[in-house]
Amino acid sequence: MYCQNVKVSIQDFDGPDGGRDEVASLHFDAVDSNTLDNVISSVLNDEYNLFESAIAEVTFTVEP
């Protein structure tokens, strides 16, 4: 599947209030879904433990 107008927001616990904040974001004009899956998996399963308990919020459109 081909995704357009993709925004990936990585959110993690940040700051003294303990709430989630956006710690990284990625924007793609267009990307295939396999590449998008690999990018998200790489961030969430990072071997350097950059993020304590990150979540990803992803928005995109699909055009035939």
Side-chain angles (χ1 to χ4, degrees), residues 52-64:
E52 190 172 309
S53 58
I55 61 170
E57 181 178 289
V58 183
T59 58
F60 60 91
T61 57
V62 177
E63 309 249 346

Side-chain angles (χ1 to χ4, degrees), residues 1-5 61-64:
M1 179 172 48
Y2 198 67
C3 306
Q4 296 181 328
N5 302 320
T61 57
V62 177
E63 309 249 346

Side-chain angles (χ1 to χ4, degrees), residues 38-63:
N38 288 338
V39 168
I40 294 167
S41 294
S42 295
V43 171
L44 296 182
N45 301 317
D46 72 293
E47 64 185 78
Y48 301 109
N49 295 319
L50 296 175
F51 304 111
E52 190 172 309
S53 58
I55 61 170
E57 181 178 289
V58 183
T59 58
F60 60 91
T61 57
V62 177
E63 309 249 346

Side-chain angles (χ1 to χ4, degrees), residues 7-15 19-26 43-44 46 50-57:
K7 180 182 182 208
V8 179
S9 172
I10 307 300
Q11 300 174 8
D12 199 4
F13 293 113
D14 190 32
R20 287 192 183 271
D21 288 327
E22 182 176 84
V23 294
S25 66
L26 302 165
V43 171
L44 296 182
D46 72 293
L50 296 175
F51 304 111
E52 190 172 309
S53 58
I55 61 170
E57 181 178 289

